[in-house]
Amino acid sequence: MFKGPVESKNEAAMSELVPEPRQKPVVPMKPTGINTNLLGYIGIDTIIEQMRKKTMKTGFDFNIMVVGQSGLGKSTLVNTLFKSQVSRKSSSWNREEKIPKTVEIKAIGHVIEEGGVKMKLTVIDTPGFGDQINNENCWEPIEKYINEQYEKFLKEEVNIARKKRIPDTRVHCCLYFISPTGHSLRPLDLEFMKHLSKVVNIIPVIAKADTMTLEEKTEFKQRVRKELEVNGIEFYPQKEFDEDLEDKTENDKIRQESMPFAVVGSDKEYQVNGKRVLGRKTPWGIIEVENLTHCEFALLRDFVIRTHLQDLKEVTHNIHYETYRAKRLNDNGGLPPMTVETEENHESNL
Ligand SMILES: Nc1nc2c(ncn2[C@@H]2O[C@H](COP(=O)(O)OP(=O)(O)OP(=O)(O)O)[C@@H](O)[C@H]2O)c(=O)[nH]1
Ligand SMILES: [Mg+2]
């Protein structure tokens, strides 16, 4: 009756007090109930689970902006994103019959929940440019909006009584719409992207890809990539931020094959093979927005949300916001006086 183990435990305890004489234990000292594989296990890998739990509790913000010439389907794509599988389950989206021309920068937010994790997805729709006779500096309002979000974040960050979790309105990714001309990029596109790529992650997309044949699309994609390279325009994922060989291999494929994603947008649903799909009805059939053989919208969505969301947020925070912050704190003008003290602390962390 329990004799062996109890006795041996007592013996072991005693042996600490009275070292001699020491008898060989009748049962092994190692507790038999514990899996020997777990001995020496610290539990570092549980950090993933801990982070998951935290993210589930707090949720996270993700902000996408659409930019480009007027009439290229930016507002339509915003609706497509919200109506597509990103948030199909959510019901509060108000559908307008005809999308009006966008006249001001407008952020549309939506909380999406999946697997217990909440994402506040905000899409910032912007007015198209290119309508004016003089399009000089037409990127300025966009750049101003992006910088204003950095400024808001910075003000919160340097506040003495800062919030535990700063609401993040910073633009994590900017979809730049390219007209499906099949020719070259316009000087305005190049100029625009050159400016924006310094402040935000740019992802170029070819708009209205349904207006091109397959050959035209492949050729145009190649041409755009070449022109971006020749003009030194860095789009996301930027080569210099690849962290290791695995990143480089994966991102090289995206840079050399997928970019710029050729997309089609629509907020209309049609019945195809008994299923409701988002699409565009043409005399030749329905172009299905989420069908990979029809266009690259689903590829773009997966790239932005499934594989690169966290990286987009990190590059925004560590590179673009950091550049803004360093410049702003170096200039040291304009911040509210009450925050000056904290500013200095932050400056010393740079
Ligand atoms: N063929 C085709 N037409 C599209 C596509 N996406 C949008 N359109 C149409 O293009 C027109 C303009 O779409 P919008 O979404 O308002 O364009 P926008 O870029 O927001 O225009 P602005 O607000 O003036 O900058 C509408 O008639 C859309 O139905 C597409 O992928 N293919
Ligand atoms: Mg619009």
Side-chain angles (χ1 to χ4, degrees), residues 21-270:
R22 204 170 163 177
Q23 281 182 2
K24 200 174 174 220
V26 274
V27 289
M29 292 288 280
K30 204 190 272 180
T32 47
I34 294 177
N35 181 353
T36 45
N37 289 339
L38 289 180
L39 290 177
Y41 172 72
I42 302 171
I44 298 171
D45 56 356
T46 62
I47 181 91
I48 309 286
E49 183 55 21
Q50 294 170 39
M51 283 160 84
R52 195 182 70 85
K53 277 194 181 153
K54 266 230 149 41
T55 311
M56 276 176 83
K57 273 189 204 143
T58 51
F60 64 94
D61 299 306
F62 187 59
N63 310 313
I64 306 178
M65 185 183 230
V66 292
V67 171
Q69 226 182 301
S70 187
L72 287 182
K74 298 182 293 299
S75 304
T76 308
L77 202 85
V78 172
N79 286 8
T80 314
L81 254 179
F82 281 123
K83 289 206 76 180
S84 76
Q85 277 170 359
V86 172
S87 65
R88 190 158 276 166
K89 289 183 206 91
S90 45
S91 55
S92 58
W93 176 245
N94 250 335
R95 182 177 145 199
E96 285 174 40
E97 269 315 307
K98 175 98 180 71
I99 298 171
K101 188 176 163 70
T102 314
V103 289
E104 57 178 4
I105 298 181
K106 201 169 148 194
I108 306 155
H110 215 68
V111 176
I112 298 163
E113 196 173 338
E114 198 176 55
V117 180
K118 280 198 198 94
M119 165 168 89
K120 183 167 181 246
L121 174 67
T122 302
V123 182
I124 303 121
D125 196 2
T126 65
F129 54 84
D131 288 348
Q132 288 78 25
I133 297 167
N134 181 7
N135 290 304
E136 206 182 317
N137 299 346
C138 56
W139 52 84
E140 274 175 2
I142 309 282
E143 202 174 351
K144 184 167 165 263
Y145 179 90
I146 294 169
N147 283 335
E148 274 168 8
Q149 310 317 308
Y150 292 147
E151 182 68 23
K152 245 194 228 174
F153 198 87
L154 178 63
K155 280 209 172 120
E156 284 290 347
E157 216 182 38
V158 299
N159 217 338
I160 291 173
R162 66 177 167 187
K163 292 184 182 125
K164 196 171 158 222
R165 187 173 162 266
I166 302 173
D168 193 358
T169 59
R170 295 169 300 179
V171 180
H172 299 115
C173 117
C174 172
L175 302 181
Y176 187 89
F177 282 60
I178 296 166
S179 175
T181 57
H183 304 300
S184 308
L185 284 172
R186 295 158 198 222
L188 190 56
D189 289 327
L190 292 169
E191 205 55 28
F192 212 108
M193 281 191 265
K194 212 174 249 177
H195 273 87
L196 285 194
S197 62
K198 295 195 181 82
V199 291
V200 73
N201 291 320
I202 295 268
I203 299 180
V205 300
I206 296 175
K208 301 187 177 180
D210 52 317
T211 60
M212 306 180 105
T213 66
L214 288 177
E215 292 80 19
E216 283 167 351
K217 188 187 82 181
T218 312
E219 206 178 299
F220 191 47
K221 279 178 73 141
Q222 260 170 13
R223 184 165 312 157
V224 171
R225 281 196 295 265
K226 185 111 197 87
E227 286 185 14
L228 290 174
E229 194 185 337
V230 168
N231 287 279
I233 295 166
E234 282 279 348
F235 55 85
Y236 180 85
Q238 301 91 335
K239 276 191 207 115
E240 55 186 312
F241 306 141
D242 290 342
E243 273 171 17
D244 51 29
L245 196 64
E246 192 193 342
D247 261 14
K248 189 180 169 333
T249 317
E250 189 193 340
N251 288 341
D252 270 347
K253 203 161 179 295
I254 293 160
R255 287 186 284 257
Q256 288 155 18
E257 291 168 27
S258 312
M259 290 284 179
F261 294 94
V263 298
V264 174
S266 172
D267 61 352
K268 305 263 185 305
E269 286 185 359
Y270 297 95

Side-chain angles (χ1 to χ4, degrees), residues 245-349:
L245 196 64
E246 192 193 342
D247 261 14
K248 189 180 169 333
T249 317
E250 189 193 340
N251 288 341
D252 270 347
K253 203 161 179 295
I254 293 160
R255 287 186 284 257
Q256 288 155 18
E257 291 168 27
S258 312
M259 290 284 179
F261 294 94
V263 298
V264 174
S266 172
D267 61 352
K268 305 263 185 305
E269 286 185 359
Y270 297 95
Q271 197 85 19
V272 175
N273 299 331
K275 270 195 348 203
R276 291 200 74 73
V277 297
L278 279 173
R280 300 190 74 82
K281 196 172 180 183
T282 72
W284 310 278
I286 289 170
I287 301 159
E288 297 168 41
V289 166
E290 292 174 84
N291 185 334
L292 278 178
T293 56
H294 292 196
C295 84
E296 295 165 2
F297 170 78
L299 270 188
L300 168 71
R301 186 188 53 199
D302 285 354
F303 168 67
V304 169
I305 293 176
R306 284 203 190 165
T307 58
H308 284 68
L309 190 144
Q310 182 58 23
D311 189 61
L312 279 160
K313 282 172 73 84
E314 280 176 20
V315 175
T316 302
H317 184 74
N318 298 334
I319 311 292
H320 299 302
Y321 171 64
E322 202 58 28
T323 309
Y324 179 86
R325 183 173 161 275
K327 185 175 174 302
R328 190 70 176 73
L329 297 183
N330 266 334
D331 294 350
N332 201 27
L335 281 178
M338 59 179 274
T339 60
V340 167
E341 210 178 295
T342 335
E343 256 179 62
E344 280 163 6
N345 291 341
H346 275 259
E347 206 164 8
S348 63
N349 288 338

